[in-house]
Amino acid sequence: MRKLKITILLLILSSCLLAQDTLTLTFVGDVMMHQTQINSAKTADGYQLDNCFAYISSYLSAADITVANLEVTLAGEPYSGYPQFCAPDALAEALQRAGVDVLLTANNHSCDKGKKGVERTLQILDSLCFLHTGTFYDSLSRRKATPLLLSKNNFELALLNYTYGTNGLPIPKPTVVNLIDTVQILADIEIAKALQPDIIAVALHWGDEYQLYPNKAQRNLAEFLARNGVRLIIGSHPHVLQPIELLYAADSTIATVVVYSLGNFISNMTAVNTDIGALVNIRLIKHNNSIIIDHTGYTYTFTYKPQEEGRRRFYVLPAAEYENNQEFFTDAAHYRKMIKALSAMRTLYTKANKGPVEEDK
């Protein structure tokens, strides 16, 4: 009888452990669309971008919630690349089909197409029932939608998004683009806390372009956010990867994850290290009403740009999955470029990262 009671007790304890709520999050870097990408996606009856994400979609859809930085406007025709981006609506549709759930819209290109660009981007995302935050129709809609609350698996995550600026372009009234302002950010954090979410995440468009390490302002802002209860800090804008740091609490649990830059997810940029980015994967566990950041890992991505049927094509690859598959690449130079970039970023992350691990290596 005693053995039976012990067995039953162990089964109950095991059941309780298995019953813990978990939430998996994936954060994706800069989604860009240069003119060559627009030309590449043109078809007889519109634009098609699903093939761009065919090799990475299983990674995006694997998470409970996947968040990406939309660094273009959806202002309608005529479409344009750098310096003032305007992508076909098909980009948002393809991202959604590939497994992206939330788009961040506050970045230095938010105002590239003026008032129409800000508003129509929101209209298209709303028409697709695509969750988004960072830009708003007006101050009233901002108040109603700040923070963006994401509910899944018995978790509620509060998400905020800000940019350092808009390339000197004025923010057209009455639209709102969230700018990095510690007074406003702190006020928004307090509003978020009052809603009692399980965790607060802040996505920031910040830092210096093409620099592999965060600057002092990034570090200071990250410390400020962590002190004020933000547990996930996700960065974009440099177009290259920057380190990931885990900040620990006194009890040795992870207090805050700081991702200084996710790099590019897809683009036609040619500067060194701009072809490689990372998906950052975070697993949360709810245990006794406490939220534990149980795992932080990353998967390198590479934008493969072969010439096919007279056009440059764009495919986002999970880099580690293809590093031993040279036969996949139509041109050995593309393969060597990926291997070189992967090696450089592994060297950077081995040297500078504090805590997270590479997945799918």
Side-chain angles (χ1 to χ4, degrees), residues 254-328:
I254 299 170
T256 302
V257 177
V258 185
V259 181
Y260 282 105
S261 175
L262 289 162
N264 287 335
F265 181 57
I266 189 168
S267 80
N268 190 41
M269 297 182 76
T270 57
V272 64
N273 298 321
T274 57
D275 281 333
I276 196 160
L279 309 181
V280 170
N281 309 303
I282 298 169
R283 183 171 63 242
L284 309 177
I285 292 178
K286 183 178 287 189
H287 181 65
N288 294 334
N289 294 320
S290 295
I291 304 302
I292 299 168
I293 300 175
D294 177 63
H295 170 80
T296 303
Y298 52 90
T299 299
Y300 292 111
T301 63
F302 178 77
T303 303
Y304 172 43
K305 307 171 185 176
Q307 195 77 16
E308 295 176 353
E309 300 175 341
R311 297 188 192 186
R312 181 72 66 193
R313 298 298 188 187
F314 297 83
Y315 303 104
V316 182
L317 304 180
E321 188 176 327
Y322 286 87
E323 66 176 316
N324 296 315
N325 187 6
Q326 184 173 349
E327 295 76 17
F328 172 82

Side-chain angles (χ1 to χ4, degrees), residues 59-71:
Y59 290 77
L60 302 177
S61 57
D64 294 315
I65 299 173
T66 296
V67 182
N69 175 50
L70 183 68
E71 197 159 354

Side-chain angles (χ1 to χ4, degrees), residues 82-140:
Y82 182 83
Q84 294 185 320
F85 291 100
C86 178
D89 303 344
L91 175 61
E93 295 165 1
L95 287 168
Q96 190 171 56
R97 284 192 290 266
V100 176
D101 303 293
V102 184
L103 290 174
L104 306 169
T105 57
N107 55 68
N108 58 310
H109 291 285
S110 297
C111 297
D112 278 2
K113 296 297 179 178
K115 183 170 179 280
K116 178 185 177 182
V118 177
E119 292 184 338
R120 191 176 184 281
T121 300
L122 298 174
Q123 289 164 2
I124 294 302
L125 299 183
D126 288 341
S127 72
L128 296 172
C129 298
F130 217 141
L131 296 173
H132 56 85
T133 191
T135 60
F136 308 89
Y137 293 105
D138 51 37
S139 57
L140 178 59

Side-chain angles (χ1 to χ4, degrees), residues 112-345:
D112 278 2
K113 296 297 179 178
K115 183 170 179 280
K116 178 185 177 182
V118 177
E119 292 184 338
R120 191 176 184 281
T121 300
L122 298 174
Q123 289 164 2
I124 294 302
L125 299 183
D126 288 341
S127 72
L128 296 172
C129 298
F130 217 141
L131 296 173
H132 56 85
T133 191
T135 60
F136 308 89
Y137 293 105
D138 51 37
S139 57
L140 178 59
S141 63
R142 184 192 189 278
R143 284 197 298 272
K144 289 180 177 179
T146 300
L148 176 63
L149 293 176
L150 305 173
S151 300
K152 196 158 189 179
N153 296 1
N154 200 32
F155 281 82
E156 190 161 68
L157 183 148
L159 178 62
L160 300 164
N161 173 216
Y162 307 88
T163 177
Y164 75 91
T166 56
N167 288 345
L169 296 172
I171 299 172
K173 295 180 180 180
T175 67
V176 177
V177 177
N178 279 348
L179 299 177
I180 294 174
D181 175 329
T182 54
V183 174
Q184 184 62 65
I185 292 173
L186 185 57
D188 292 342
I189 290 171
E190 292 305 315
I191 291 170
K193 286 179 178 178
L195 298 173
Q196 298 184 321
D198 293 298
I199 200 162
I200 298 174
V202 174
L204 297 161
H205 209 69
W206 62 354
D208 298 319
E209 289 186 319
Y210 315 120
Q211 300 304 304
L212 296 176
Y213 288 89
N215 60 33
K216 185 177 180 180
Q218 284 172 275
R219 292 191 177 278
N220 289 343
L221 184 52
E223 291 172 4
F224 168 81
L225 294 173
R227 283 198 311 271
N228 284 284
V230 176
R231 300 194 64 189
L232 303 179
I233 301 169
I234 310 296
S236 60
H237 175 61
H239 301 301
V240 295
L241 289 173
Q242 291 184 346
I244 304 169
E245 296 182 359
L246 306 184
L247 308 181
Y248 291 88
D251 63 359
S252 298
T253 60
I254 299 170
T256 302
V257 177
V258 185
V259 181
Y260 282 105
S261 175
L262 289 162
N264 287 335
F265 181 57
I266 189 168
S267 80
N268 190 41
M269 297 182 76
T270 57
V272 64
N273 298 321
T274 57
D275 281 333
I276 196 160
L279 309 181
V280 170
N281 309 303
I282 298 169
R283 183 171 63 242
L284 309 177
I285 292 178
K286 183 178 287 189
H287 181 65
N288 294 334
N289 294 320
S290 295
I291 304 302
I292 299 168
I293 300 175
D294 177 63
H295 170 80
T296 303
Y298 52 90
T299 299
Y300 292 111
T301 63
F302 178 77
T303 303
Y304 172 43
K305 307 171 185 176
Q307 195 77 16
E308 295 176 353
E309 300 175 341
R311 297 188 192 186
R312 181 72 66 193
R313 298 298 188 187
F314 297 83
Y315 303 104
V316 182
L317 304 180
E321 188 176 327
Y322 286 87
E323 66 176 316
N324 296 315
N325 187 6
Q326 184 173 349
E327 295 76 17
F328 172 82
F329 296 82
T330 56
D331 185 337
H334 290 288
Y335 174 73
R336 290 193 297 270
K337 186 175 184 181
M338 185 188 78
I339 295 302
K340 183 179 180 180
L342 190 57
S343 175
M345 292 305 99

Side-chain angles (χ1 to χ4, degrees), residues 32-49 70-93 112-113 116-117 120-121 124:
M32 310 192 75
M33 199 164 186
H34 292 85
Q35 189 63 51
T36 304
Q37 293 169 266
I38 296 170
N39 297 343
S40 173
K42 186 75 174 73
T43 66
D45 55 357
Y47 291 83
Q48 174 56 254
L49 288 115
L70 183 68
E71 197 159 354
V72 296
T73 67
L74 304 174
E77 295 186 289
Y79 305 125
S80 59
Y82 182 83
Q84 294 185 320
F85 291 100
C86 178
D89 303 344
L91 175 61
E93 295 165 1
D112 278 2
K113 296 297 179 178
K116 178 185 177 182
R120 191 176 184 281
T121 300
I124 294 302

